[in-house]
Amino acid sequence: MNHRIRLAAAGAFALVLAAVPAAAGAAAPGAAAHRVVPVPGPDSTVVTVRTGGDRAATDVPAPLAGVRLALFAAPDATQPIDADWARCTSDADGDCSFVVPDTGAGEDNNGRVLTVGQTGAPAGWYTNPVLRTGPGSGSNSVASPYRFRTPALLGGATYRSTREFMYSTDNGLPTRSGGVWQTSRDNPPLSSSCGLDVALVLDLSASVGSQLPALKAAADAFTDALTGTPSRLALFSFDQESPSTSVGVNYPQLQSVSTPAGAAAFKSRYADWTLGRGTNWDRALWAVARAPEHYDAAVVLTDGNPTRFGSLHGDGANTHFIDVENGIFSANSVKAEDTRVIALGVGKGVEGVSGLNLRAISGPTGFDGGNTATADYFQTADYGQAGQELRALALGNCTGTLNVVKQIVPPGTTGEDVAGAEPAGPGWTFGASTTTPGVTGLPASETTGADGTGTVTFTPGFGTNEQAAVTVGEAQHPGYELVTQGGRNAVCTDLDTGADVPVENTATASGPGFTVDVPRQDAVSCTVYNRAAEEEEPADVTVDKVWDVDGHRYPDGSQPDGLSAELTLTGPGVMPATPQPWGVARPGYSVGDAVTVAEDVRTEGSECTVTRSEVTGIDGATVHLPLPHTTVLTGPHRHLTVTNTVTCRPGGDHGSDHDGGYGDDGDGSGGHGYGR
């Protein structure tokens, strides 16, 4: 499964005073040249802006080539100045430089103040022309245009975004910037498979307050929705740092939640978490980006805008451009790993124009009530609604699927006890087929991988059917045995409703199986348990045939014409009854197995009647047991004798003194035999 979702939030410091070597986020080779920042003449002015993409290090964004900027005559101007010198495109060093003419004393542009704005982004990136600023509480929000005014232009001067304008250390300035122009990476699409690897990043800022149990309940809903699918979760927290100062540890390793036990273990990691203070999207996202694991998605569950970035930078009370800029750089680094960032804002702290900031770290598509699978960011009223959206997100790709979870029961358990069962490792194969007309995609075979979920997924094509009857057979591993639950070969659940789904046991030559109805609009998950069998002693079964015809005994093959019987034996394993030659041993059993012996007797054209069929000998002991008969193998060799007593029409000619007959005394020593 390449199969996976992450929750993230953070902010980071991005002051750059010198050129940064090209790294992640820089243009591909040949896409943009390295150019030296121009040197102004006495009648010109250089305005140079540093542009950034992915975070290259803890406090440094890498340069981004291909960013298109322009100079505007006024902050509210809708069109840039109509001159070539008023446009620039960033180079491989992330420098976008304007050379403004006529800035010498007495010239037209001398002393003029212009505004820098963005007019485009390189392929694979999008712009954020407006960001939300204001108190971290979400009150008095301002949609602030992401534009910056230059100093009054003087001939011979160079004005840098990282020093003379744009950059600021004044926390009283809502548009305080780190001086590196932000642009957001396009959000990778969510994996289309049922089952995800997700980094769940939880906001533990003080503003969560009394809603902390509801936050945990929303995370529980997400975890539970993934149970029964080939999914794994990682866990991150943040307040003004990540992990949160109230927690102290993140869990970047992916934990399987395919089973209830795995889900419970994951939920226990955050069950006793407490709140910290401050909100740092940068550090949360950067923690995800630095994790050694690959995630299908990172889900950011937050109740407020960032008020911190980097290592405790920012005032912790208000949101500035710089707090969001650094969150964007870290989010870009997450997306660079082909991980989708899903921002889920909860409550009043992130309502309204705060969606601008959620958009900046995820993608431009907001949730509209029906686009769960493609929405980049959500704004929900409370954690209950957030839990519903997370559940819908978890199951969105599982509609119409059948997931089979293989669990291995520890040795030492008996019967149907499955306590301590864990997901199977790689190499367990299941085959699925259907008898429902019009269903496509089956038969199919899937094998468990090394992801720790022990799960395979089948996705039938339903055509016009509302459900499909799917039969699953397991390729049983040597040395393992099926552990039923209530006599069922599998336990199945409708993941959408939580209801049990009936199953019908089946058996194949390769092992036990089951049939289950899979609805077109729901997802079904079935769990199959195996236990390593104790060392078993091999055994075989041999059955001899004796015909007693009018008091004369014959071995099979020597009986009078018209008399015949076909032997059947069940097993080994779950094999149904199949034919077996008389007097030939059938191997493959184990001591302790139960074997059913039966026969089909025919008397065509003999004018004889079978009056009794029974087992007359077991391992040398005389018995009289009716057929069919089930015998338990108590040793390595089981030898049975089946005798048919036959009466023929009086006066019938059966011959005399035939070599193959047994004596009248029945001891096989010869005597008055009948010929055939």
Side-chain angles (χ1 to χ4, degrees):
M1 124 206 61
N2 179 346
H3 319 301
R4 304 84 203 224
I5 293 182
R6 309 182 189 180
L7 273 169
F13 184 59
L15 170 60
V16 181
L17 297 180
V20 180
H34 295 268
R35 298 191 300 270
V36 176
V37 174
V39 177
D43 297 324
S44 64
T45 302
V46 171
V47 177
T48 186
V49 180
R50 178 64 49 79
T51 62
D54 303 334
R55 181 168 301 292
T58 301
D59 290 332
V60 179
L64 179 62
V67 175
R68 297 186 295 280
L69 303 178
L71 294 175
F72 294 77
D76 57 355
T78 59
Q79 295 297 321
I81 296 170
D82 187 14
D84 290 344
W85 55 261
R87 291 171 174 80
C88 74
T89 300
S90 61
D91 62 16
D93 295 321
D95 294 323
C96 196
S97 300
F98 304 94
V99 180
V100 183
D102 304 326
T103 57
E107 296 185 296
D108 290 345
N109 290 328
N110 179 258
R112 192 176 183 185
V113 176
L114 302 178
T115 299
V116 182
Q118 188 166 4
T119 57
W125 301 74
Y126 64 94
T127 64
N128 300 296
V130 183
L131 295 175
R132 183 268 178 193
T133 59
S137 64
S139 61
N140 300 317
S141 291
V142 177
S144 299
Y146 195 76
R147 289 185 170 188
F148 299 90
R149 301 186 73 192
T150 69
L153 304 181
L154 299 178
T158 297
Y159 301 114
R160 304 168 183 83
S161 65
T162 55
R163 185 180 303 174
E164 286 83 14
F165 77 105
M166 188 174 171
Y167 169 73
S168 174
T169 60
D170 182 5
N171 279 326
L173 181 65
T175 56
R176 174 192 173 189
S177 171
V180 179
W181 198 283
Q182 53 74 28
T183 303
S184 296
R185 267 190 183 273
D186 288 348
N187 213 8
L190 190 63
S191 168
S192 61
S193 62
C194 178
L196 297 166
D197 282 348
V198 180
L200 187 61
V201 186
L202 304 182
D203 183 348
L204 297 183
S205 58
S207 57
V208 173
S210 63
Q211 293 299 302
L212 180 58
L215 165 66
K216 295 176 181 179
D220 287 351
F222 184 61
T223 304
D224 292 339
L226 291 172
T227 303
T229 71
S231 296
R232 301 182 295 176
L233 292 176
L235 184 63
F236 296 82
S237 68
F238 67 97
D239 58 352
Q240 61 188 0
E241 287 283 1
S242 181
S244 169
T245 56
S246 62
V247 173
V249 63
N250 285 326
Y251 297 93
Q253 299 82 11
L254 287 163
Q255 161 75 43
S256 171
V257 295
S258 63
T259 67
F266 180 78
K267 290 186 287 187
S268 70
R269 289 178 169 177
Y270 57 79
D272 60 352
W273 276 6
T274 57
L275 298 178
R277 59 182 181 178
T279 304
N280 193 331
W281 288 2
D282 168 47
R283 276 299 174 263
L285 287 162
W286 184 232
V288 174
R290 289 183 299 168
E293 301 272 11
H294 173 266
Y295 310 111
D296 291 324
V299 182
V300 185
L301 190 60
T302 183
D303 79 324
N305 286 271
T307 59
R308 294 282 190 185
F309 66 96
S311 182
L312 297 181
H313 297 294
D315 63 13
N318 298 284
T319 299
H320 313 83
F321 278 168
I322 193 170
D323 302 309
V324 184
E325 288 169 344
N326 285 279
I328 292 170
F329 297 138
S330 289
N332 288 342
S333 293
V334 174
K335 297 176 193 176
E337 299 172 359
D338 198 28
T339 297
R340 184 173 181 80
V341 175
I342 300 171
L344 206 163
V346 183
K348 292 185 177 299
V350 283
E351 65 182 5
V353 298
S354 292
L356 294 168
N357 292 347
L358 296 172
R359 172 191 183 277
I361 62 169
S362 58
T365 304
F367 179 61
D368 62 10
N371 61 338
T372 302
T374 57
D376 298 301
Y377 66 95
F378 298 72
Q379 290 174 284
T380 65
D382 52 48
Y383 286 103
Q385 183 182 353
Q388 295 174 15
E389 301 305 338
L390 287 172
R391 179 176 176 80
L393 182 67
L395 293 176
N397 290 333
C398 294
T399 300
T401 63
L402 172 60
N403 298 275
V404 181
V405 183
K406 179 74 169 184
Q407 293 206 60
I408 304 301
V409 181
T413 57
T414 59
E416 293 192 336
D417 181 9
V418 294
E422 295 183 350
W428 292 84
T429 300
F430 291 87
S433 61
T434 184
T435 57
T436 304
V439 173
T440 60
L442 300 177
S445 178
E446 298 289 344
T447 302
T448 59
D451 60 3
T453 68
T455 305
V456 298
T457 300
F458 297 100
T459 307
F462 288 84
T464 59
N465 296 285
E466 291 303 314
Q467 66 178 25
V470 180
T471 297
V472 177
E474 174 188 0
Q476 189 76 54
H477 280 205
Y480 287 83
E481 60 186 5
L482 178 72
V483 180
T484 60
Q485 293 293 283
R488 296 176 293 174
N489 289 350
V491 179
C492 298
T493 303
D494 187 313
L495 295 180
D496 291 83
T497 65
D500 290 340
V501 180
V503 300
E504 177 184 345
N505 289 349
T506 63
T508 66
S510 60
F514 60 94
T515 298
V516 63
D517 288 334
V518 179
R520 180 192 193 100
Q521 298 300 327
D522 289 357
V524 173
S525 181
C526 298
T527 301
V528 177
Y529 295 95
N530 265 196
R531 177 191 294 121
E534 295 182 3
E535 191 69 29
E536 296 176 337
E537 184 179 2
D540 57 50
V541 177
T542 304
V543 184
D544 289 332
K545 159 64 71 179
V546 172
W547 295 88
D548 186 333
V549 182
D550 292 335
H552 298 278
R553 295 166 62 83
Y554 302 87
D556 189 66
S558 300
Q559 70 271 24
D561 292 339
L563 301 179
S564 64
E566 182 181 76
L567 168 67
T568 62
L569 300 176
T570 59
V574 297
M575 286 284 292
T578 55
Q580 175 70 16
W582 298 102
V584 176
R586 176 179 286 190
Y589 297 100
S590 298
V591 173
D593 286 353
V595 182
T596 298
V597 180
E599 68 172 353
D600 181 17
V601 181
R602 297 179 177 85
T603 60
E604 292 91 341
S606 67
E607 299 186 7
C608 297
T609 301
V610 177
T611 60
R612 186 167 62 248
S613 295
E614 60 183 357
V615 176
T616 55
I618 298 180
D619 294 340
T622 299
V623 296
H624 294 280
L625 301 171
L627 290 173
H629 170 69
T630 299
T631 182
V632 176
L633 309 186
T634 58
H637 307 289
R638 173 51 47 94
H639 202 133
L640 300 95
T641 300
V642 172
T643 299
N644 294 122
T645 301
V646 181
T647 300
C648 295
R649 183 164 60 91
D653 182 9
H654 303 294
S656 62
D657 297 330
H658 189 278
D659 292 350
Y662 285 99
D664 286 341
D665 55 11
D667 62 4
S669 59
H672 300 84
Y674 283 86
R676 287 194 293 172

PDB file of all heavy atoms in Angstrom, residues 116 201 223 285 307 370 485 564 577 592 604:
ATOM      1  N   VAL A 116       6.125  46.174  -4.640  1.00  0.00           N
ATOM      2  CA  VAL A 116       6.455  44.886  -5.258  1.00  0.00           C
ATOM      3  C   VAL A 116       5.293  43.921  -5.041  1.00  0.00           C
ATOM      4  O   VAL A 116       4.813  43.747  -3.911  1.00  0.00           O
ATOM      5  CB  VAL A 116       7.739  44.287  -4.666  1.00  0.00           C
ATOM      6  CG1 VAL A 116       8.074  42.963  -5.370  1.00  0.00           C
ATOM      7  CG2 VAL A 116       8.904  45.255  -4.788  1.00  0.00           C
ATOM      8  N   VAL A 201      -0.919  15.267  12.964  1.00  0.00           N
ATOM      9  CA  VAL A 201      -0.226  16.308  13.711  1.00  0.00           C
ATOM     10  C   VAL A 201      -1.267  17.124  14.480  1.00  0.00           C
ATOM     11  O   VAL A 201      -2.101  17.783  13.886  1.00  0.00           O
ATOM     12  CB  VAL A 201       0.593  17.210  12.787  1.00  0.00           C
ATOM     13  CG1 VAL A 201       1.424  18.205  13.583  1.00  0.00           C
ATOM     14  CG2 VAL A 201       1.486  16.373  11.897  1.00  0.00           C
ATOM     15  N   THR A 223      -8.677   7.396  13.526  1.00  0.00           N
ATOM     16  CA  THR A 223      -7.976   6.130  13.729  1.00  0.00           C
ATOM     17  C   THR A 223      -8.917   4.953  13.561  1.00  0.00           C
ATOM     18  O   THR A 223      -8.597   3.972  12.878  1.00  0.00           O
ATOM     19  CB  THR A 223      -7.335   6.107  15.127  1.00  0.00           C
ATOM     20  OG1 THR A 223      -6.479   7.236  15.282  1.00  0.00           O
ATOM     21  CG2 THR A 223      -6.534   4.834  15.341  1.00  0.00           C
ATOM     22  N   LEU A 285       5.347  21.243  10.835  1.00  0.00           N
ATOM     23  CA  LEU A 285       5.528  20.743   9.470  1.00  0.00           C
ATOM     24  C   LEU A 285       6.980  20.338   9.204  1.00  0.00           C
ATOM     25  O   LEU A 285       7.246  19.370   8.486  1.00  0.00           O
ATOM     26  CB  LEU A 285       5.079  21.814   8.477  1.00  0.00           C
ATOM     27  CG  LEU A 285       3.560  21.995   8.392  1.00  0.00           C
ATOM     28  CD1 LEU A 285       3.209  23.319   7.751  1.00  0.00           C
ATOM     29  CD2 LEU A 285       2.930  20.847   7.629  1.00  0.00           C
ATOM     30  N   THR A 307       1.453  31.815  15.619  1.00  0.00           N
ATOM     31  CA  THR A 307       1.961  32.998  16.326  1.00  0.00           C
ATOM     32  C   THR A 307       3.450  32.865  16.629  1.00  0.00           C
ATOM     33  O   THR A 307       4.021  33.732  17.277  1.00  0.00           O
ATOM     34  CB  THR A 307       1.194  33.193  17.643  1.00  0.00           C
ATOM     35  OG1 THR A 307       1.355  32.019  18.462  1.00  0.00           O
ATOM     36  CG2 THR A 307      -0.285  33.432  17.383  1.00  0.00           C
ATOM     37  N   GLY A 370     -18.751  18.630  -0.314  1.00  0.00           N
ATOM     38  CA  GLY A 370     -18.840  17.368  -1.022  1.00  0.00           C
ATOM     39  C   GLY A 370     -17.562  16.911  -1.675  1.00  0.00           C
ATOM     40  O   GLY A 370     -17.544  15.894  -2.363  1.00  0.00           O
ATOM     41  N   GLN A 485     -13.931 -18.270  14.606  1.00  0.00           N
ATOM     42  CA  GLN A 485     -14.573 -17.435  15.620  1.00  0.00           C
ATOM     43  C   GLN A 485     -16.071 -17.701  15.551  1.00  0.00           C
ATOM     44  O   GLN A 485     -16.726 -17.360  14.557  1.00  0.00           O
ATOM     45  CB  GLN A 485     -14.282 -15.955  15.371  1.00  0.00           C
ATOM     46  CG  GLN A 485     -12.824 -15.570  15.556  1.00  0.00           C
ATOM     47  CD  GLN A 485     -12.373 -15.701  17.000  1.00  0.00           C
ATOM     48  OE1 GLN A 485     -12.673 -14.864  17.841  1.00  0.00           O
ATOM     49  NE2 GLN A 485     -11.654 -16.779  17.297  1.00  0.00           N
ATOM     50  N   SER A 564     -19.751 -53.896  -7.076  1.00  0.00           N
ATOM     51  CA  SER A 564     -18.631 -52.949  -7.014  1.00  0.00           C
ATOM     52  C   SER A 564     -18.903 -51.927  -5.916  1.00  0.00           C
ATOM     53  O   SER A 564     -20.050 -51.712  -5.502  1.00  0.00           O
ATOM     54  CB  SER A 564     -18.434 -52.219  -8.355  1.00  0.00           C
ATOM     55  OG  SER A 564     -19.566 -51.421  -8.650  1.00  0.00           O
ATOM     56  N   ALA A 577     -14.648 -35.132   0.808  1.00  0.00           N
ATOM     57  CA  ALA A 577     -14.548 -36.548   0.466  1.00  0.00           C
ATOM     58  C   ALA A 577     -14.165 -36.720  -1.002  1.00  0.00           C
ATOM     59  O   ALA A 577     -14.790 -36.138  -1.887  1.00  0.00           O
ATOM     60  CB  ALA A 577     -15.864 -37.247   0.756  1.00  0.00           C
ATOM     61  N   GLY A 592      -4.276 -37.481  15.279  1.00  0.00           N
ATOM     62  CA  GLY A 592      -5.303 -36.615  15.863  1.00  0.00           C
ATOM     63  C   GLY A 592      -6.342 -36.162  14.866  1.00  0.00           C
ATOM     64  O   GLY A 592      -7.405 -35.660  15.256  1.00  0.00           O
ATOM     65  N   GLU A 604     -25.349 -53.664 -10.122  1.00  0.00           N
ATOM     66  CA  GLU A 604     -25.980 -53.732 -11.431  1.00  0.00           C
ATOM     67  C   GLU A 604     -25.805 -55.114 -12.076  1.00  0.00           C
ATOM     68  O   GLU A 604     -24.691 -55.619 -12.184  1.00  0.00           O
ATOM     69  CB  GLU A 604     -25.394 -52.670 -12.373  1.00  0.00           C
ATOM     70  CG  GLU A 604     -25.753 -51.245 -11.982  1.00  0.00           C
ATOM     71  CD  GLU A 604     -24.727 -50.640 -11.051  1.00  0.00           C
ATOM     72  OE1 GLU A 604     -23.971 -51.424 -10.436  1.00  0.00           O
ATOM     73  OE2 GLU A 604     -24.680 -49.402 -10.930  1.00  0.00           O
TER      74      GLU A 604
END
